[in-house]
Amino acid sequence: MAESPEHIFLSDTALQIMDSASNSTLFGYTEGQRKRFDFSCDLKKDWSKVVAGQTLWKHDGDGIDKDLRTLLHEQDIAAAVYIARHQSRSRARLAEVTQDYLRTMPESLSRLRVFWVPADFDADDEGSRTTVHNLLKEEITKDLLLQVALGGITSADVTRFASSKRPGLPLRILSHVKKQGYRNDRHTAKALDVNLNALQFETERLFIIGFLSSDSPQGGQYSVTDSGHAMLDICSRLRDYLNGNLGDGNKNEDFEHICKLLGVEYPSIPTTAPLLVGDDDRDIRNPTSLLLQHVAQADVDGSVEWPEPYFAIPSSSEISTSQRS
């Protein structure tokens, strides 16, 4: 049976949203081949995470068992996306099927992300297309991209990170651990040339926030988590903003959208705003200003190895085309 215009629009829109979000340069994007799934892509940083999805539109609840079986039995995907028509029959059937997986394959079920689309969606209506696109953009960015591509980072994490009273030091610690690891407190304090007590306090804060992990519940030898890497990447792009290098006109709409979801309204802080330690007019009540203060201070100190932007990676078809030309 031929796919409906709604089915085609929803599958293509999911990919377009993830592709557009990669313009934030927080991760790379490559569209995958559509073989077993209605859509798939590869999100890349220093890792590769495959996102695959199915779209349910015309078949009500009849195809849900097959769709979820196809998605959840695939071991190589980091996120299984299901876009479905919002009908009571479909929701009831989905609940039945997921209850079975909750008992038998709970880890696979944790990868599932379901996005419901209004049942009266009409792909031939421009207003309807715009509404559904905006709906999916908000939900996919919050519930998929922040969780998968950005390690589950939240606005609360960012606020707690920014509230440190030692501007720049949390970034220095994350950067150091990413590059050289964390052998012990004294060795790291000496390498960073910081007070031992200050280092221990800030490292424990990063561990509690979830930006550092350790094999021991009490800490010790730390490593940077996915959300910690995301925080470094975000701060690196904020550094670009402060230096006027974020993009054309120092703007990046996709990065700005992600930052807003994390409570970071960086365009509200002029690049000329006083941010460094010792500036008398610093705004210490605004979480965004505090985060930018960390970035500005670490930049001036020259103590952070700032991650480069992640640009889109060419697809295999594009590589083949360029090689033939």
Side-chain angles (χ1 to χ4, degrees), residues 247-258:
D248 187 21
N250 203 26
K251 295 181 179 179
N252 183 318
E253 292 183 3
D254 295 287
F255 177 66
E256 185 177 338
H257 178 68
I258 290 173

Side-chain angles (χ1 to χ4, degrees), residues 4-281:
S4 68
E6 288 75 19
H7 187 288
I8 295 171
F9 174 86
L10 294 172
S11 298
D12 289 345
T13 296
L15 289 177
Q16 187 275 325
I17 288 168
M18 288 183 276
D19 186 9
S20 178
S22 71
N23 292 330
S24 66
T25 69
L26 295 175
F27 59 91
Y29 168 93
T30 306
E31 183 174 346
Q33 296 182 350
R34 303 191 192 189
K35 292 182 178 178
R36 300 185 62 193
F37 307 106
D38 289 329
F39 57 91
S40 67
C41 65
D42 199 355
L43 307 181
K44 294 180 180 288
K45 293 178 70 170
D46 47 354
W47 40 247
S48 176
K49 295 187 178 182
V50 175
V51 176
Q54 298 288 91
T55 301
L56 176 73
W57 192 254
K58 276 191 172 180
H59 303 296
D60 295 328
D62 297 337
I64 290 178
D65 301 62
K66 181 179 179 239
D67 285 344
L68 290 190
R69 187 163 57 250
T70 301
L71 282 169
L72 297 180
H73 283 269
E74 185 66 42
Q75 298 299 317
D76 295 332
I77 62 176
V81 179
Y82 201 36
I83 300 177
R85 191 175 192 171
H86 191 284
Q87 292 183 319
S88 57
R89 178 183 173 183
S90 297
R91 291 190 71 101
R93 185 60 191 146
L94 181 73
E96 291 176 10
V97 176
T98 52
Q99 280 300 313
D100 291 338
Y101 278 100
L102 188 60
R103 290 190 295 270
T104 60
M105 299 173 60
E107 291 185 4
S108 293
L109 189 61
S110 68
R111 295 183 282 129
L112 180 65
R113 301 284 189 277
V114 182
F115 303 107
W116 297 102
V117 175
D120 60 353
F121 167 57
D122 180 2
D124 293 327
D125 180 76
E126 182 178 354
S128 187
R129 290 197 306 271
T130 300
T131 298
V132 168
H133 178 278
N134 291 340
L135 171 71
L136 287 177
K137 178 181 179 181
E138 195 75 5
E139 293 190 355
I140 286 176
T141 305
K142 285 193 299 186
D143 298 338
L144 175 64
L145 295 178
L146 292 186
Q147 290 296 319
V148 177
L150 300 181
I153 193 171
T154 69
S155 58
D157 295 336
V158 175
T159 298
R160 285 194 288 266
F161 178 84
S163 66
S164 165
K165 296 180 180 179
R166 297 178 176 88
L169 182 55
L171 277 171
R172 293 175 62 189
I173 295 171
L174 284 179
S175 177
H176 177 83
V177 176
K178 177 180 179 179
K179 184 179 179 182
Q180 301 184 33
Y182 196 109
R183 289 172 52 184
N184 57 59
D185 293 337
R186 293 190 179 279
H187 178 274
T188 305
K190 183 177 180 180
L192 292 176
D193 192 24
V194 297
N195 176 271
L196 177 60
N197 290 333
L199 174 84
Q200 290 174 324
F201 182 84
E202 293 298 336
T203 302
E204 288 173 5
R205 286 186 78 256
L206 291 171
F207 177 64
I208 292 170
I209 293 171
F211 290 169
L212 291 178
S213 64
S214 174
D215 292 336
S216 168
Q218 286 76 38
Q221 292 195 9
Y222 296 99
S223 60
V224 182
T225 63
D226 283 350
S227 59
H229 283 293
M231 190 74 255
L232 274 172
D233 293 331
I234 290 167
C235 286
S236 188
R237 301 292 75 76
L238 291 175
R239 170 179 175 259
D240 291 339
Y241 167 72
L242 292 177
N243 291 328
N245 299 323
L246 184 59
D248 187 21
N250 203 26
K251 295 181 179 179
N252 183 318
E253 292 183 3
D254 295 287
F255 177 66
E256 185 177 338
H257 178 68
I258 290 173
C259 281
K260 282 184 178 179
L261 294 176
L262 295 173
V264 181
E265 302 275 354
Y266 69 85
S268 67
I269 310 295
T271 57
T272 56
L275 295 169
L276 300 177
V277 173
D279 288 337
D280 295 333
D281 296 328

